[in-house]
Amino acid sequence: MENNEEIKASNFIKTILRKDIEEAKNDGRVHTRFPPEPNGYLHIGHAKSICLNFGIAEEFGGKCNLRFDDTNPLKEDTEYVDSIKEDVKWLGFEWGETEFYASDYFDKFYEFAVKLVTKGVAYVDSLTPEEIKEYRGNLKEPGKNSPYRDRTPDENLELLQKMKDGQFADGECVLRAKIDMSSPNINMRDPIMYRIANTEHHRTGDKWCIYPMYDFAHGLEDSIEGVTHSICTLEFEDHRPLYDCFLDQLEVFHPQQIEFARLNLTYTMMSKRNLLTLVNEGYVSGWDDPRMPTIAGLRRRGYTPASIRNFAEMIGVSKANSIVEYAQLEYCLREDLNKVAQRVMVVTDPLKVVITNYPEDETEMLTAENNPECEADGNREIPFCREIYIEKDDFMEDPPNKYFRLSPGKEMRLKHAYYITCDEVIKDDNGEVIELRCSYDPKSRGGWTDDGRRVKGTAHWVSAKHCIDAEIRMYDHLFTIPNPSRRKKGEVFTDNINPDSMKVVSALAEPSLASIEAGKHFQFLRIGYFTSDKDTTDGKPVFNKTVGLKDTWAKMKK
RNA sequence: AGGGGUAUAGCCAAAUUGGCAAGGCAGCUGGUUUUGGUCCAGUGUACUGCAGGUUCGAGUCCUUCUACCCCUGCCA
């Protein structure tokens, strides 16, 4: 609901924005962009950036461009641009009719490069990659000038043309900005603007064999699009002088780069490289494995766009490195799912209960509300009969204090059905409880009596005669330690992978779940939120455990 | 003396020009409840990284120090 004004948290970026608007900088325009490189799948960290950039545009009446920063054909692919578009759309953001591509500006970039060469502030360097590295110096020592640094503009122009024309092999030469080889900021030591890559680009084909580097291209992309505030992550702080430098020298519209801290989450890993390893080495089933922090993974797991957007709003934006507790994400998820998920009954670890005083062949239909949080969702009918299953956990032969489920001689409510009392416990040869004999109170139909009886415990159940099989995939964190990127010496990140991050359980579900489509959210009463997986077939639903319900009883037991 | 950043409760994070240190998550207590869910109410000694200084008054200004993060791709 957009009409009840949400109170949005303040952050340092909005403070800058408000000031800029007040001072009528850029005529008071606010224009941001989300600039993913199409070389991998988006994850929740990107979601933070998406929400930030699109959110700002929305809040300040501006625009946000979706721009693919596709300047490196070696790593990029259309597969990724498709998935990125899908994910942004799914999160609920719209970028208008135009999607932007850095590759659309390749001609302009080249013109700008020619201009800088003509000005004498860029040159073609013929050092080998190894030599360039050597000449760059290091953190302690300044670099030294390339012997090719003083080539004349005419000479450079000619060489640049040849680079463009494909007269050089990969790595034979590069175009560099002539800045300062002794700068304490290594990015300023004559950064490379263009490199040669005789590779097809997924959008420009074989038109180009030279491709611009991030530092040269990015500010220009922003400038060309009229972006006012170019929001990126902290590691680009050192690049800002360069960002400014190119724009100043070219005398073009000058957006402002602002850096914020990327998102880290406990028990997860965010680096694209490591995520790729998880996929390639089979630790997970793919980019959309429900345990992955990718948008695709979260979606399949059952996360909702609203939950992720709300999370992004809730955690705020700052420049301090931080690790957000996973519980905060889960809170947002439960908050949303509680409002929308239909309640159903599913037994994951069945214990048979025979209701001895219930007629042998009778089946009756009982009314169950679909969602107590939303009356409009209505009711459904569920079958009840003499034999049912309840959760093993809901019975204890020798219960501790404050256990108010079923135990010998005690009464418990079956949700939406009847009160039952446990009369007899049947065990197998190993002494394990395999069946309960109970009696029900016909007066308690619907799960209530008006005689003032206090029946505290309520359990979910399914009818033995009518229930269906369901596969449930129970998930846990992918890593066993809160900060898997900060591990002990000598360990690789895969050493901390949780071997029990997925357990497949076959469960018994109420018959209404017999034919459902994928991607539906449910609350399995008293267990948690579950979402039907794409592996679901007619008659055999497959569910992903999205997140458990808060369980204060489990906490008490500890 | 490389450079660039950041330090506010277990976690995240606000704080107009210096003016009693928000809020959320987690935790804990109660209440409501046909989900031990939801909901409601309550709940914190934060020496604002340390040490000094300026000031009637400092998280905000000044100085010293410490810890952590980022930078030596023809990646972004």
Side-chain angles (χ1 to χ4, degrees):
Chain A
M1 302 292 111
E2 300 296 329
N3 49 5
N4 54 343
E5 224 172 285
E6 261 178 82
I7 297 154
K8 303 247 178 170
S10 178
N11 63 51
F12 78 98
I13 296 179
K14 290 184 188 177
T15 304
I16 293 172
L17 257 17
R18 280 190 290 262
K19 185 162 174 284
D20 287 350
I21 291 169
E22 196 179 314
E23 293 172 358
K25 187 178 172 184
N26 306 308
D27 305 320
R29 280 170 51 234
V30 171
H31 197 157
T32 57
R33 104 260 96 115
F34 172 62
E37 182 189 13
N39 71 341
Y41 280 69
L42 259 30
H43 55 59
I44 181 118
H46 294 108
K48 175 183 177 183
S49 174
I50 293 167
C51 294
L52 214 209
N53 281 293
F54 282 94
I56 278 172
E58 245 168 55
E59 192 177 339
F60 291 85
K63 286 187 210 159
C64 178
N65 291 359
L66 171 64
R67 178 172 73 228
F68 295 94
D69 203 4
D70 54 351
T71 56
N72 184 2
L74 273 344
K75 293 188 173 179
E76 296 151 8
D77 196 89
T78 48
E79 173 200 348
Y80 298 119
V81 344
D82 292 341
S83 77
I84 289 168
K85 286 198 287 194
E86 186 187 353
D87 290 347
V88 174
K89 209 177 291 174
W90 178 74
L91 280 172
F93 295 105
E94 286 171 23
W95 56 84
E97 324 76 52
T98 331
E99 55 208 48
F100 298 83
Y101 292 86
S103 53
D104 284 344
Y105 314 138
F106 281 175
D107 284 303
K108 287 181 182 159
F109 293 159
Y110 186 77
E111 283 169 34
F112 283 128
V114 167
K115 199 168 166 188
L116 292 176
V117 168
T118 310
K119 262 182 102 174
V121 292
Y123 64 97
V124 173
D125 196 354
S126 302
L127 250 25
T128 65
E130 296 72 32
E131 286 167 332
I132 286 182
K133 185 179 163 68
E134 197 187 316
Y135 275 63
R136 185 154 36 225
N138 55 45
L139 297 180
K140 293 276 183 195
E141 287 156 27
K144 55 184 182 188
N145 288 168
S146 163
Y148 304 100
R149 198 173 197 261
D150 293 321
R151 293 215 258 226
T152 65
D154 284 346
E155 197 179 348
N156 284 321
L157 245 20
E158 193 185 322
L159 287 166
L160 179 58
Q161 181 70 43
K162 283 185 175 172
M163 280 173 69
K164 184 191 176 203
D165 290 345
Q167 297 186 31
F168 295 111
D170 290 5
E172 215 176 318
C173 51
V174 290
L175 182 71
R176 300 180 76 170
K178 192 189 281 189
I179 302 180
D180 178 7
M181 288 306 290
S182 63
S183 171
N185 180 350
I186 293 180
N187 297 303
M188 300 299 272
R189 318 240 260 232
D190 288 11
I192 293 170
M193 295 162 61
Y194 266 105
R195 78 285 215 179
I196 296 168
N198 290 285
T199 309
E200 279 213 4
H201 185 280
H202 63 98
R203 292 191 79 244
T204 60
D206 59 5
K207 180 176 176 191
W208 296 88
C209 61
I210 57 172
Y211 293 93
M213 300 287 289
Y214 171 87
D215 284 314
F216 176 56
H218 204 88
L220 293 171
E221 295 163 22
D222 290 337
S223 179
I224 289 166
E225 292 173 16
V227 165
T228 56
H229 301 269
S230 177
I231 300 167
C232 62
T233 44
L234 251 28
E235 67 270 27
F236 292 102
E237 238 160 353
D238 286 342
H239 295 246
R240 188 171 0 111
L242 238 192
Y243 182 99
D244 293 334
C245 175
F246 283 123
L247 294 174
D248 286 342
Q249 285 184 336
L250 263 0
E251 297 174 89
V252 293
F253 175 69
H254 196 144
Q256 178 184 2
Q257 175 177 308
I258 303 170
E259 311 85 10
F260 73 100
R262 55 165 16 116
L263 170 69
N264 294 292
L265 262 184
T266 55
Y267 300 102
T268 61
M269 203 78 158
M270 224 66 93
S271 96
K272 270 188 194 173
R273 220 181 83 98
N274 290 337
L275 294 180
L276 186 65
T277 303
L278 293 175
V279 172
N280 286 346
E281 295 184 10
Y283 290 102
V284 296
S285 64
W287 286 104
D288 69 343
D289 185 295
R291 291 165 293 182
M292 291 284 274
T294 50
I295 308 281
L298 293 166
R299 177 169 54 230
R300 189 171 172 191
R301 176 77 169 255
Y303 276 76
T304 59
S307 66
I308 293 172
R309 291 171 64 153
N310 191 234
F311 173 70
E313 183 62 32
M314 201 180 258
I315 56 173
V317 180
S318 76
K319 296 192 71 158
N321 286 314
S322 60
I323 306 179
V324 178
E325 289 178 347
Y326 209 91
Q328 193 150 1
L329 214 207
E330 293 186 329
Y331 168 83
C332 294
L333 218 208
R334 290 194 190 98
E335 186 191 36
D336 189 36
L337 256 18
N338 178 52
K339 290 183 291 193
V340 302
Q342 187 191 317
R343 273 61 169 171
V344 292
M345 295 201 286
V346 174
V347 174
T348 61
D349 190 11
L351 173 62
K352 190 175 185 179
V353 172
V354 178
I355 298 161
T356 51
N357 60 338
Y358 194 87
E360 196 88 42
D361 294 316
E362 188 165 329
T363 292
E364 67 178 309
M365 298 306 284
L366 297 164
T367 303
E369 62 191 348
N370 286 327
N371 186 350
E373 306 294 318
C374 181
E375 218 173 301
D377 285 354
N379 300 315
R380 69 188 184 287
E381 300 290 300
I382 47 177
F384 182 83
C385 66
R386 179 182 162 92
E387 292 190 5
I388 61 168
Y389 290 103
I390 64 169
E391 210 71 58
K392 264 197 183 114
D393 266 0
D394 288 335
F395 172 80
M396 274 186 103
E397 194 171 17
D398 190 15
N401 253 356
K402 294 224 172 167
Y403 181 83
F404 38 81
R405 275 110 102 151
L406 197 61
S407 53
K410 289 280 172 55
E411 193 171 44
M412 175 183 76
R413 170 168 39 242
L414 295 175
K415 180 81 177 174
H416 306 307
Y418 293 99
Y419 298 164
I420 56 170
T421 303
C422 176
D423 304 316
E424 191 186 347
V425 179
I426 298 171
K427 300 178 183 177
D428 65 10
D429 297 341
N430 302 318
E432 198 162 322
V433 177
I434 51 166
E435 186 183 314
L436 265 25
R437 298 274 163 148
C438 298
S439 47
Y440 84 116
D441 178 356
K443 292 197 301 294
S444 63
R445 188 171 197 275
W448 185 253
T449 56
D450 286 320
D451 54 12
R453 242 190 294 175
R454 293 281 292 164
V455 177
K456 191 116 168 88
T458 303
H460 57 280
W461 53 273
V462 293
S463 158
K465 203 190 291 176
H466 307 89
C467 67
I468 60 162
D469 291 326
E471 176 179 324
I472 301 184
R473 297 166 184 170
M474 301 286 200
Y475 297 110
D476 197 357
H477 294 307
L478 239 189
F479 294 93
T480 53
I481 57 174
N483 188 356
S485 44
R486 198 186 205 107
R487 50 193 171 266
K488 292 188 210 122
K489 244 192 218 159
E491 280 185 338
V492 289
F493 86 95
T494 48
D495 290 346
N496 295 302
I497 288 178
N498 179 7
D500 301 316
S501 61
M502 177 170 89
K503 277 183 185 147
V504 178
V505 170
S506 69
L508 301 173
E510 64 170 70
S512 70
L513 259 17
S515 49
I516 54 168
E517 48 190 272
K520 291 278 172 236
H521 305 291
F522 296 93
Q523 186 197 98
F524 291 0
L525 227 56
R526 302 205 306 134
I527 303 175
Y529 295 98
F530 292 77
T531 301
S532 47
D533 189 80
K534 63 183 184 185
D535 292 345
T536 291
T537 53
D538 199 41
K540 176 68 189 291
V542 176
F543 294 99
N544 294 312
K545 179 178 180 181
T546 307
V547 65
L549 250 29
K550 274 215 285 187
D551 191 347
T552 52
W553 169 244
K555 228 177 264 171
M556 281 168 70
K557 282 194 292 187
K558 281 184 187 170

